[in-house]
Amino acid sequence: MAASKKDVVILVLIAAIAGIFLSGTFTFTKDDIDKAKLAYKKKGLIAVMPFLDDGYQELKYKYKEQTINIYTVSKNGSYKGAALELITKEGYSGTIKFLLGLNENQKITGLYILDHSETPGLGSKAANKEWWGQFLEKSKPAFTFKVKKDGGMVDAITASTITSRAITNAVDKGMDIYSDFMKNGKISNVTELDNGQK
Amino acid sequence: MAKNNEEIIATKTEKIKVKIKNKDSLSKIYYEGLWSSNPVLIMLLGLCPALAVTNSGINGLGMGVATTFVLIMSNVVISIFRNMIPAKMRIPSFIVIIATFVTVIDLVMEAYAFELHKSLGLFIPLIVVNCIILGRAEGFAYKKSVFLSLNDGFAMGVGFTLTLVVMGMIREFFGAGTFLGNPIMAKGFSPALIMILPPGAFLTLGYLLGLSHYINRKRAERANQ
């Protein structure tokens, strides 16, 4: 029942043609895919930083063995604020990735969920302004970034304490990172990447 | 001698009748793809995406269109080369061809329909193992002409897409109160969340299967009367 040499040659030929066709498609779509990814990210940045209108700078900031992506915005030379890309692995169904916007007074200006696998209708409500709106204009130490169950001031989503806690704790860490960045980051620990165009 | 002639004519007529019944016509192909051999409801193929991505009408439509693209392209290519693909190597050859087109549609969706691509996620690459595609490749495209294979791919794809869209719209309506993403129920409407979760998928599919089989049975009973 072994295949003849001719059969094997034909299969290799089919695979080779498929490979060429695929690499062509890949090359053809590569730029558009990068553009689409960037547009998606920009949508999030605009959502969390209402002061963003011209452009932003993408930086990588080192904080305690972690490297965080920070997108800073300056207008006419004066610093307006930044968005931090934060990740938590403590979500109910795993990793939650989100953007946290902060202004120059270290007050929160927005929150935008980028990626999550939380339960639809329950944990997924974290993406709604009805929930994360409670973070707006808040800052440390006036506001305690922990869910009420853990002694803080944050209202958890009904029946989704785990999701709420995961995001709240990540926001708490994010506030610490940002305050560290405001103190030291603008001088050192920063690798500038590229200028984001509008 | 007359009896023999009658017998000969009788068998010949029977043979022609059988041939007509088995003759591939476009209307037969479309009737089968859309209803009588509906891939999901009758052939019970492609159930995994049917259950997994029908949490909304748009997702169902997106998955259906992507699968239809792969069905048509793979049917056409396999049909064109059906005399060159050796019988012993046909399954690996089919898989290579199908996987190529799935990757193509995956890249195209990522470039031009980013949010839909994100919603469907890992189920786009899983189109490769959708039994409908391999089933039609082996059962139709490998044996029939390019024109018929193209239409079969399209018919089966449309049947699949319609089923998924119907499932998606039902689940979306009861599970989130929306129609194609737009909320259409009053604020007081409390949606049955279970409908957009996995149990709801099974419930919806189960009812649709029951309904379509019931309709077919009633038709068969009427035809036999």
Side-chain angles (χ1 to χ4, degrees):
Chain A
M1 278 301 269
S4 69
K5 279 201 194 124
K6 177 171 167 252
D7 292 347
V8 172
V9 166
I10 293 181
L11 186 57
V12 169
L13 205 64
I14 292 175
I17 297 174
I20 296 171
F21 184 54
L22 272 174
S23 71
T25 312
F26 178 75
T27 314
F28 187 74
T29 56
K30 190 170 185 308
D31 286 336
D32 286 322
I33 289 176
D34 289 338
K35 257 193 239 150
K37 283 188 182 157
L38 193 63
Y40 181 74
K41 186 163 264 180
K42 246 192 224 143
K43 206 170 120 184
L45 292 175
I46 293 173
V48 299
M49 294 193 286
F51 42 81
L52 167 65
D53 55 17
D54 233 350
Y56 59 88
Q57 256 199 323
E58 183 173 342
L59 318 161
K60 281 203 186 309
Y61 185 64
K62 251 210 176 76
Y63 177 81
K64 289 188 187 173
E65 282 120 35
Q66 279 185 303
T67 314
I68 318 281
N69 289 341
I70 301 190
Y71 305 85
T72 62
V73 170
S74 305
K75 253 191 243 186
N76 304 323
S78 71
Y79 178 75
K80 283 280 156 205
L84 278 71
E85 200 174 307
L86 300 168
I87 304 181
T88 172
K89 297 210 174 86
E90 311 287 306
Y92 182 72
S93 305
T95 310
I96 305 175
K97 209 160 95 170
F98 63 98
L99 289 169
L100 184 70
L102 293 138
N103 61 19
E104 71 268 29
N105 300 320
Q106 302 196 34
K107 291 211 162 108
I108 294 181
T109 54
L111 194 151
Y112 185 84
I113 309 265
L114 289 167
D115 262 315
H116 78 93
S117 321
E118 303 301 276
T119 318
L122 294 171
S124 68
K125 283 196 190 146
N128 302 345
K129 199 166 180 185
E130 281 105 16
W131 181 70
W132 59 255
Q134 62 182 307
F135 291 131
L136 287 172
E137 288 296 304
K138 303 288 190 295
S139 64
K140 288 176 101 159
F143 193 81
T144 318
F145 286 94
K146 291 242 178 287
V147 294
K148 285 194 174 149
K149 249 188 210 164
D150 299 339
M153 297 167 146
V154 175
D155 275 313
I157 305 166
T158 318
S160 308
T161 316
I162 297 179
T163 309
S164 316
R165 180 182 285 132
I167 297 179
T168 308
N169 290 352
V171 170
D172 190 47
K173 280 204 200 94
M175 304 294 283
D176 290 340
I177 296 172
Y178 188 64
S179 106
D180 192 73
F181 172 73
M182 292 284 277
K183 258 186 263 156
N184 319 317
K186 302 228 220 106
I187 315 162
S188 62
N189 280 1
V190 159
T191 327
E192 278 195 26
L193 290 182
D194 45 79
N195 267 322
Q197 304 287 309
K198 190 178 179 188
Chain B
M1 273 308 239
K3 223 187 182 175
N4 262 350
N5 276 345
E6 272 175 23
E7 282 173 5
I8 293 169
I9 294 170
T11 28
K12 269 203 176 148
T13 321
E14 276 306 309
K15 278 191 185 162
I16 294 171
K17 271 193 188 158
V18 168
K19 227 182 169 185
I20 292 175
K21 191 174 165 223
N22 289 340
K23 183 175 147 74
D24 294 308
S25 66
L26 279 185
S27 56
K28 180 162 168 254
I29 287 176
Y30 280 94
Y31 182 64
E32 283 185 353
L34 287 153
W35 181 256
S36 66
S37 287
N38 183 295
V40 177
L41 299 175
I42 304 292
M43 297 205 282
L44 295 179
L45 297 175
L47 293 183
C48 174
L51 291 167
V53 305
T54 47
N55 47 10
S56 79
I58 299 281
N59 282 355
L61 181 65
M63 173 56 79
V65 169
T67 308
T68 305
F69 170 79
V70 177
L71 253 174
I72 294 175
M73 297 308 290
S74 70
N75 262 19
V76 164
V77 169
I78 289 170
S79 181
I80 290 175
F81 295 106
R82 69 187 184 279
N83 294 320
M84 286 179 241
I85 298 175
K88 288 204 192 106
M89 291 292 199
R90 69 184 189 284
I91 301 290
S93 306
F94 294 165
I95 301 277
V96 169
I97 294 170
I98 294 170
T100 306
F101 285 116
V102 170
T103 310
V104 166
I105 196 69
D106 187 32
L107 289 171
V108 165
M109 283 179 85
E110 197 178 3
Y112 306 112
F114 194 75
E115 306 247 0
L116 180 65
H117 179 268
K118 222 173 169 26
S119 301
L120 295 178
L122 132 76
F123 289 96
I124 299 175
L126 281 179
I127 295 175
V128 180
V129 296
N130 188 328
C131 293
I132 301 174
I133 306 178
L134 195 59
R136 292 332 275 175
E138 165 87 350
F140 201 96
Y142 194 55
K143 305 177 198 158
K144 314 263 172 130
S145 74
V146 179
F147 179 70
L148 291 174
S149 300
L150 193 156
N151 282 286
D152 178 77
F154 185 66
M156 287 287 161
V158 171
F160 181 69
T161 306
L162 284 177
T163 313
L164 259 64
V165 169
V166 166
M167 273 187 75
M169 297 210 297
I170 294 174
R171 289 180 66 197
E172 184 184 353
F173 177 73
F174 288 106
T178 62
F179 179 76
L180 295 178
N182 305 307
I184 57 165
M185 296 301 279
K187 269 269 162 105
F189 177 75
S190 187
L193 265 180
I194 194 174
M195 291 305 284
I196 51 174
L197 294 173
F202 284 96
L203 285 170
T204 312
L205 181 62
Y207 278 115
L208 281 179
L209 283 172
L211 184 65
S212 57
H213 284 252
Y214 176 76
I215 294 174
N216 275 337
R217 191 161 50 110
K218 283 291 165 202
R219 279 170 142 202
E221 280 172 13
R222 252 183 283 130
N224 285 341
Q225 276 166 1

